[in-house]
Amino acid sequence: MRLSTLSLTLAALAGSAFAVNAADGAYKEFKSWQVSCSQTLSCSMRQFISDSPVSGFELQRSGLPEAPVALLISPSESALLEGEDEIAVAISVDGGAPVSFQNADIAVDANTAALSLSGDVISNGLIDSLKNGTTAKITISRGQMTAAGEIPLAGAAASLLFIDEFQKRVGHVDAMSAKGDKAPNPPPPVSDIRRFADFPEAVRARFAEGGECAETEEAMLDGNALAHKLAEEQTLYVTPCGMGGAYNFPYAVFVEVYGTVSALPFPTMQEGAPSAVTSAFNLSYDYEAKALSAFFKGRGVGDCGTYNEWKFAKGAMGPQLVLVEEASRDCPSEIDENEAIDPANWPKSWPLQ
């Protein structure tokens, strides 16, 4: 049994949607920076600053060739996000000349209560300044209102390098930190889905009232939903589907073949016999191996529950899922904090022994 090295996991639905799974190698902390990358190669590095007029700073970049870098600035005062007055943001590092963003370069991200800044921050030297600097001062101005805060930059260089490495840009011309002469890599075969509108109509209808995913909030998609073009006229969609609990979140998988969309059932075992369910919890997708796995936790520490693994097989009307392994464990009466949790050692209901 293997746990997928790249996972789709829902972060806490507060503030920015930020998929975090320390076990999959796509999450790191460098000093006060939190860095997270998804299997679509989209990455983000951010930090929060308490008791500051500027409470958060985040850098985002997709895995596409020569993708632009977006900066998200979170002011503590919500009034800076509202109104008709012109808005401006200036970022200076260690007292150097500021890089300025004017009204046309700034959008309000309502989901994260942040200002999204656009511009070529690689070519204008801001990324190098963040990498090599000690402190960044951010000043936000709107009409008569002004807010200024400082962001410590310790760990920024390591964060930027981690993103370059994860996105396979080291030595390439489109790297942020580790530039070289190589041409950009081709785009990955998977892409992020951040809005319901990014789905084709037949999938989008599943999120409408009466659909099986009707309770899904759009903010849940960011970092957790993706599209994978399997072949010509054949696309796979992996998405949150419905509301979960504290540590179990439901997902569905849809496949579009020549414009027809169908939900893929997840084969499982029930009372010793084959069965199927329409959703899986805490789903992981390994797009290179074309395999999925799910871990329904019996409780938050993950020392019990059910683990499933599936692979794709060719079906008459497109890909189908085949159950590779299912293992489960009842929750012990007491939690052993020193116990190594390994579903590979749990009793298996499939394959039959």
Side-chain angles (χ1 to χ4, degrees), residues 38-302:
S38 73
Q39 59 183 336
T40 63
L41 303 187
S42 291
C43 292
S44 176
M45 55 183 276
R46 72 172 183 175
Q47 64 170 288
F48 294 112
I49 304 91
S50 58
D51 302 320
S52 171
V54 177
S55 60
F57 179 91
E58 185 170 352
L59 179 152
Q60 299 177 342
R61 196 181 195 196
S62 79
L64 295 174
E66 301 181 291
V69 176
L71 302 178
L72 266 64
I73 310 293
S74 302
S76 297
E77 179 53 66
S78 61
L80 286 164
L81 302 172
E82 304 163 352
E84 301 298 327
D85 292 320
E86 294 285 308
I87 188 168
V89 176
I91 303 175
S92 61
V93 177
D94 297 336
V99 175
S100 297
F101 300 83
Q102 303 305 317
N103 207 65
D105 306 319
I106 304 171
V108 175
D109 188 323
N111 286 333
T112 61
L115 300 172
S116 179
L117 314 181
S118 58
D120 193 350
V121 296
I122 299 178
S123 295
N124 69 16
L126 181 57
I127 293 297
D128 281 341
S129 296
L130 296 175
K131 179 177 70 172
N132 299 318
T134 302
T135 304
K137 181 179 180 180
I138 299 175
T139 304
I140 306 169
S141 304
R142 184 165 214 159
Q144 300 301 311
M145 295 180 293
T146 300
E150 293 188 341
I151 309 291
L153 297 178
S159 300
L160 291 165
L161 180 59
F162 177 82
I163 292 175
D164 276 348
E165 290 174 340
F166 192 90
Q167 294 183 335
K168 301 178 176 65
R169 299 188 201 267
V170 172
H172 292 259
V173 295
D174 59 348
M176 291 189 295
S177 175
K179 281 185 174 295
D181 335 1
K182 299 177 185 175
N185 286 313
V190 290
S191 57
D192 290 304
I193 298 286
R194 293 188 171 88
R195 303 173 301 165
F196 294 139
D198 295 335
F199 288 110
E201 173 56 35
V203 175
R204 193 158 61 244
R206 312 293 178 118
F207 298 92
E209 185 176 354
E212 62 262 54
C213 302
E215 295 182 356
T216 311
E217 296 180 2
E218 191 169 52
M220 297 166 63
L221 302 182
D222 195 4
N224 301 294
L226 61 81
H228 182 188
K229 190 173 180 61
L230 300 172
E232 195 65 31
E233 300 296 337
Q234 192 175 109
T235 303
L236 188 79
Y237 297 94
V238 181
T239 177
C241 180
M243 292 298 293
Y247 40 81
N248 288 311
F249 298 94
Y251 283 80
V253 175
F254 301 101
V255 61
E256 181 181 27
V257 180
Y258 290 99
T260 299
V261 172
S262 57
L264 288 187
F266 296 93
T268 185
M269 299 296 291
Q270 297 291 337
E271 299 181 358
S275 184
V277 292
T278 57
S279 62
F281 289 84
N282 307 324
L283 191 67
S284 297
Y285 178 45
D286 183 338
Y287 75 84
E288 294 179 319
K290 292 187 175 63
L292 296 113
S293 59
F295 180 22
F296 181 86
K297 296 181 180 181
R299 57 189 173 200
V301 293

Side-chain angles (χ1 to χ4, degrees), residues 247 295 297-305 329 341-343 346:
Y247 40 81
F295 180 22
K297 296 181 180 181
R299 57 189 173 200
V301 293
D303 63 339
C304 54
R329 182 195 189 197
I341 300 172
D342 186 1
W346 292 359

